[in-house]
Structure formats: C-alpha cells, structure tokens
Amino acid sequence: MTRYRYAAVVAGLAVLLLAAATCAVALGSVAVPPGEVWRILAHRVVPSLVDADWPRVRETIVLDVRMPRVLLGATVGAGLSVCGMALQALVRNPLADPGLLGISSGAGVGAVLVVVCGVTVFGHYSVSAAAFLGGLAALLIVYALARAGGRMTTVRLILAGVATGQVLSAVASFLIVTSDQAQKAQSALQWMLGGLGGTGWDALWLPAAAVLLGTVALLGTARHLNVLLAGDEAAAALGLDVGRFRALLFVLCALLTGVMVAVSGAIGFVGLMMPHITRLLVGANHRRALPVAALLGAVFLIGADLLARTVISPEEIPVGIVTALAGGPTFLWLMYRKGLA
C-alpha cells in the first residue's frame, strides 16, 4: 500500500468517526440537530464564538449525558481493537481477542461479587476496582497454567485461557442465580452483557489514559510484532527474546482490557473482528495497522451503542448483544473470505 493510499484510509476513517460521534450525540429520545450539537460544543470551548440560543436542557443532554457516553464508547472500542490486534500477532492465531485470556470472565466475577454481595471496599469505584482486580487475577492464573512445566506455548496459553474463562463465567453465573436479591442480580447480569449507560466525565480519564499510553507502547513494539508473524524461530534468529517479549505484552494487553471491562462490562467481538477488517484495508504491518484498528474500533462501538439505545427506544439493550449480533456473522464472512471456513 502506498503512503498516499494509507493516508486516505486514515483520513476517511477520521471523518467517519466524527460523523458517527455526531450522530450518536444528536440521536436519542430527545433529538438534537447535528448543527446545534457542534454549536453547543463550540460555545463550551469559546463562549463568545456562538450565542447560546438553544434550550438549556439540550445543552445538558449533549454535554453531560451523551458526550461522555460517546467518548467512552470510542475509547473502549479503540482499546479492545488494538489489544485484539496485538494478541492475534502474539499467539499467531486469528481467533485471539482480549477475551481469550479469560480476563473478561475474571473481571465479571469481581464485578458480580461487588454488586450481588455488596462489597464496597473501594467506595464509589468498587465495581471498577473489583473488575480490574478480577481480570488481573485471571491473567495470573492463565499465565501460571500456561507456564506449568517451564515452557509456555501458544496452544497451552489458548487452552488455559479458554478453560479459565469458562470456569470463571460459571462462577459469576452461580453467584447471580443464587442471589436472593433480584434487583442486584439483574444489575450484575446487565453489567456482564456490557453497556455504556450512566457514564460521566469522571469515568473517562482512566480508560482514555490507558488506551493512549497502551497504544503508544504497542506502536513502539510494532517491528517486533511484525517479526513474530514469521514465527518464533525466525524472530529468535533476528535477536528477539520471544518469551520475555510475549509475556510483557500479555501483561500490557491484560491491564488494558481490565481497564476497559471495568468501565463497560464484557463487550465481545470488537477485538476479534476489527483486526481482520484492518488487515483487509491496510495490510499486516503493525506500524500502520494499529492506528487504523483503533479508529475502526472506535467507530464500531459508537455505532453499536447508538443502535443499542435507539432500536427499541425508550428501552435500551446491552451493547454486548449488539456487538455479538453484528460481530458473529461478520466474522464468519471474514473466515469464508480468507478461506479459513
């Protein structure tokens, strides 16, 4: 791919991201004209630039309700997508995604414990903190199982992640079905299905910082990720300490995913599907693919969340259901197109 074509793809996705974000802020139970959305934003940045001739309630809806939700969706989508891109290169498996290591299931157990059992050690941030710690604990279990015997292989890592994830999902389900508080059990189930509702500005800074720093770190290892695509032996022959590099990036991806799951619940298929679309657009060079994957993930999750809260409005369905309904068939189509089915 030429430099100009790559720049055109990035510019096109950036425009698509702005269009998706504008639609997501404008549409809902109370519609706000797209032009007014931008005028409200401009007025907040430079008050003297635009006169505030709109109803006060619309400004509240745009700035305090929908903007934080849209930005969180973009952040989570970008983070899950770049993690999926890195994991698929690390394990050289096109089915890899952040859920592969059991992190989402571990985070689910932590959050369910807080919601169902009423554990509030960390106060207002108890659910997020428990989800993060649960995801991190799941990673340590998977890593210990995969390294049992002294040598960690890709197959052992995948099997350990799948088995641990299934066990932890069963634990979370057991906690929910045995809860004697129906309302709390319902809240825990909603969280496990994924959702971005009720997001405020104070919930944005941690995932945004994590995704930004994590993506920069992954971009810094793009050459090594490219080398891994040629196989472990070839990478070792070129001087890469494959085991250490893989372990460090597993921890990085686990931390990123833990932060994402803590604020949005378990949202599947983003990290599995977006890397494939990215490679179809710009190829497998991670230096170019990671930024495109981030943009695609952001656009996809903003669109999925918009559908989740408008398709049966005023009711809202968990965004994880939308991503599964969209991601499953699309991934099967991608497998067929690549000759893997």
Side-chain angles (χ1 to χ4, degrees):
M1 167 175 278
T2 65
R3 181 182 303 176
Y4 298 109
R5 184 180 173 187
Y6 176 73
V9 170
V10 173
L13 287 174
V15 172
L16 187 60
L17 177 60
L18 285 176
T22 302
C23 288
V25 175
L27 299 179
S29 56
V30 176
V32 180
E36 193 167 281
V37 171
W38 283 103
R39 293 177 65 226
I40 291 173
L41 294 176
H43 177 75
R44 174 55 61 96
V45 177
V46 184
S48 61
L49 191 63
V50 180
D51 293 332
D53 55 356
W54 47 80
R56 179 68 180 174
V57 65
R58 288 187 179 178
E59 183 172 335
T60 300
I61 290 173
V62 169
L63 294 177
D64 298 334
V65 178
R66 293 181 186 166
M67 274 302 296
R69 181 168 182 155
V70 169
L71 292 177
L72 183 64
T75 301
V76 172
L80 293 176
S81 187
V82 297
C83 282
M85 192 99 214
L87 287 172
Q88 288 178 14
L90 287 174
V91 302
R92 298 181 61 207
N93 189 316
L95 299 179
D97 83 330
L100 176 75
L101 301 180
I103 302 168
S104 298
S105 300
V109 171
V112 169
L113 275 172
V114 170
V115 175
V116 173
C117 301
V119 180
T120 56
V121 176
F122 298 98
H124 181 68
Y125 297 98
S126 291
V127 174
S128 298
F132 173 74
L133 293 175
L136 189 60
L139 167 73
L140 295 177
I141 293 172
V142 171
Y143 193 72
L145 291 173
R147 284 193 63 86
R151 184 170 180 269
M152 182 175 68
T153 65
T154 298
V155 173
R156 291 178 67 173
L157 181 73
I158 292 174
L159 292 177
V162 171
T164 303
Q166 290 298 316
V167 171
L168 292 174
S169 294
V171 171
S173 299
F174 176 80
L175 290 172
I176 291 175
V177 299
T178 56
S179 173
D180 57 357
Q181 301 185 54
Q183 186 174 0
K184 290 184 176 180
Q186 181 67 23
S187 298
L189 183 61
Q190 288 283 339
W191 187 91
M192 288 184 66
L193 292 173
L196 302 170
T199 302
W201 288 103
D202 58 341
L204 278 175
W205 70 270
L206 179 58
V211 169
L212 178 62
L213 295 176
T215 302
V216 170
L218 289 174
L219 279 172
T221 65
R223 188 176 70 84
H224 292 161
L225 288 172
N226 292 339
V227 169
L228 268 184
L229 294 178
D232 288 4
E233 292 78 10
L238 292 173
L240 176 64
D241 187 339
V242 176
R244 182 178 181 183
F245 175 72
R246 188 171 275 148
L248 288 174
L249 258 64
F250 279 148
V251 172
L252 173 62
C253 290
L255 291 173
L256 269 178
T257 305
V259 173
M260 300 301 106
V261 174
V263 295
S264 65
I267 298 176
F269 278 101
V270 180
L272 185 65
M273 185 172 54
M274 294 301 109
H276 290 272
I277 300 176
T278 298
R279 284 190 283 271
L280 289 175
L281 287 174
V282 299
N285 185 333
H286 288 84
R287 195 177 302 280
R288 290 185 168 186
L290 283 168
V292 171
L295 288 170
L296 274 173
V299 171
F300 175 73
L301 199 53
I302 288 175
D305 185 55
L306 177 60
L307 282 176
R309 62 183 173 83
T310 58
V311 69
I312 58 170
S313 179
E315 298 297 325
E316 183 177 322
I317 58 178
V319 69
I321 293 178
V322 177
T323 61
L325 290 174
T330 304
F331 184 63
L332 290 175
W333 175 78
L334 287 171
M335 290 178 66
Y336 177 78
R337 180 186 172 93
K338 292 172 72 68
L340 296 175

